[in-house]
Amino acid sequence: MLGKSTLAATLAWWVAHDLIGATSPAFAPFSAVLIMNATVYRSVWQALRYTVAVATGVAVQATLGFLIGPEMFVFPLVAVIALAIGQWPALGEQRAQVATAAFFAFSTYSAASATGDQAAQLAQIVLLVLIGCGLGLAVNLCIAPPLRYRGAEQGIQVLGGEVEALLDDMAKGLREQDVTADRTQVWITAGERAQRSVSQARVGLTTAEDSLPFNPRRLLPAHRGYLTFTRYRQVIVSMERAVYQLASLNRSLNQWQETENNYSYAPFLTAYADFLASLRDAAHVLSVLNTDTLSEGAEEACRLAKAAQDKLQDVLTAAHEGGLPLADRTRPYGVLVVEATRLMEEFQHTCDALQTTADN
């Protein structure tokens, strides 16, 4: 990106300064760098929005300038109108450029003496922006246009690793019957990290999807297997719900009370630990997800999901045989059983999504 931005800016400066002899040639390289993005698709959108924003700002100044003149009292009118138009959401990140362009246009218009020169200078601003955007897009398109499909994969890997580590520590804690407030607070903090990983995985997926449109490299045989991310999105959605269920589970465990010693909960906690350990193994598959070996990974995930289903049944059996008060809302057991069932559903959805992806 650094090299491409430098090349685009240099070309834009050469065209604006040496070929055209523009009065303000810096507009061209500035535009070329501004619209340069990690994906061609986003560069196109930035170029369109930036061009519209600049053209609108120049149009505001041109209209008021030719109707009223370059008087000082015109500047507040230019400012308020440009700033108001800059609130238009359709311009996205380029909304501020409406006012910026209007201010530069006012300066250029005021410096020109003749009406013809004023019109030419304002038109030149738009021309320089078009030159800069065009060269920026050309460089980004022709020189190694990025395909970010690995970003979707890596986002899921990081998320799977966070969930795996959390489940592993929870399994160890429950097996040791360590459900103190300090230990469960550690799990809550780890769950918050997992939630941030969900957001990062979504960003990686969005970037991967945006890297495909207008990108000629997607037509190459080596990349034709990475042209859809629907199933990856389903995996992230399922894991997001699983992370939410883990957060709820940890909040329930955080409210654990010493009076729970009145019940025979040790076998229940052991069974629950075994269940979480089986989910940990399934999460490990996500942490090493590789598109090239997706079929094998999906098969392993489904096998582990089946094992987790058996462990969930052991949890239910332990709760029943221990006579735990599942219906007592002041006790955590009923919530733990419900959360375990929901966790299993989300992990099963994740494995099904992986399997469908592999089949496709």
Side-chain angles (χ1 to χ4, degrees):
M1 289 297 296
L2 178 63
K4 290 200 293 186
S5 296
T6 302
L7 176 60
T10 303
L11 290 174
W13 173 266
W14 176 70
V15 172
H17 183 267
D18 294 356
L19 295 187
I20 298 179
T23 304
S24 301
F27 266 107
F30 174 77
S31 302
V33 172
L34 185 66
I35 63 95
M36 190 68 66
N37 206 285
T39 68
V40 178
Y41 174 76
R42 292 181 182 176
S43 290
V44 171
W45 269 110
Q46 291 296 341
L48 290 174
R49 287 169 172 167
Y50 177 60
T51 301
V52 171
V54 171
T56 302
V58 171
V60 170
Q61 165 55 33
T63 301
L64 293 179
F66 289 121
L67 288 178
I68 304 175
E71 305 300 332
M72 180 56 198
F73 70 86
V74 177
F75 186 84
L77 294 177
V78 172
V80 71
I81 294 174
L83 290 170
I85 296 175
Q87 303 301 311
W88 188 22
L91 294 176
E93 300 173 4
Q94 305 301 333
R95 289 182 294 179
Q97 300 302 331
V98 177
T100 302
F103 298 157
F104 274 104
F106 185 89
S107 175
T108 301
Y109 183 88
S110 300
S113 55
T115 302
D117 290 340
Q118 293 169 338
Q121 292 298 324
L122 295 180
Q124 189 179 89
I125 293 176
V126 179
L127 176 62
L128 292 174
V129 167
L130 291 173
I131 291 173
C133 291
L135 289 173
L137 289 175
V139 170
N140 204 17
L141 179 65
C142 297
I143 301 179
L147 278 173
R148 305 285 184 176
Y149 55 80
R150 291 294 183 185
E153 180 182 289
Q154 292 166 358
I156 294 177
Q157 290 173 350
V158 173
L159 174 58
E162 291 284 358
V163 174
E164 177 189 8
L166 173 57
L167 288 170
D168 182 65
D169 195 42
M170 290 178 65
K172 291 177 181 179
L174 292 180
R175 191 170 285 113
E176 298 166 358
Q177 300 181 29
D178 182 6
V179 287
T180 62
D182 291 340
R183 187 69 179 271
T184 55
Q185 186 59 50
V186 171
W187 300 340
I188 290 175
T189 302
E192 293 172 350
R193 289 197 302 270
Q195 290 175 345
R196 290 193 291 269
S197 295
V198 170
S199 300
Q200 294 170 358
R202 287 188 178 278
V203 171
L205 176 61
T206 300
T207 301
E209 291 174 330
D210 288 348
S211 70
L212 293 178
F214 310 123
N215 196 323
R217 291 178 63 195
R218 66 191 179 94
L219 303 178
L220 298 176
H223 302 299
R224 288 177 182 172
Y226 309 99
L227 299 183
T228 178
F229 300 95
T230 303
R231 299 304 175 181
Y232 278 173
R233 185 172 295 279
Q234 292 180 356
V235 169
I236 293 176
V237 169
S238 296
M239 288 305 298
E240 180 180 22
R241 291 196 294 260
V243 169
Y244 174 81
Q245 299 303 335
L246 282 172
S248 178
L249 171 60
N250 286 326
R251 285 194 297 270
S252 298
L253 290 172
N254 188 250
Q255 298 171 1
W256 191 277
Q257 302 175 15
E258 293 182 0
T259 54
E260 298 305 323
N261 291 323
N262 297 331
Y263 302 100
S264 301
Y265 60 78
F268 174 76
L269 290 186
T270 300
Y272 213 102
D274 293 340
F275 167 67
L276 294 181
S278 64
L279 293 183
R280 173 203 61 201
D281 295 339
H284 176 72
V285 175
L286 297 179
S287 69
V288 295
L289 180 69
N290 190 309
T291 306
D292 299 328
T293 59
L294 187 58
S295 297
E296 295 82 351
E299 183 178 346
E300 176 69 7
C302 290
R303 184 187 67 79
L304 292 172
K306 177 63 171 64
Q309 291 278 8
D310 297 336
K311 296 298 183 181
L312 176 60
Q313 188 58 46
D314 293 341
V315 171
L316 300 177
T317 300
H320 176 72
E321 292 179 351
L324 300 181
L326 301 182
D328 188 349
R329 295 185 178 181
T330 65
R331 304 293 184 183
Y333 303 107
V335 175
L336 296 184
V337 170
V338 171
E339 298 298 351
T341 304
R342 291 174 177 172
L343 266 176
M344 188 66 252
E345 290 176 354
E346 300 308 335
F347 269 85
Q348 188 62 58
H349 288 325
T350 301
C351 295
D352 292 342
L354 282 178
Q355 187 63 61
T356 305
T357 303
D359 293 342
N360 290 342

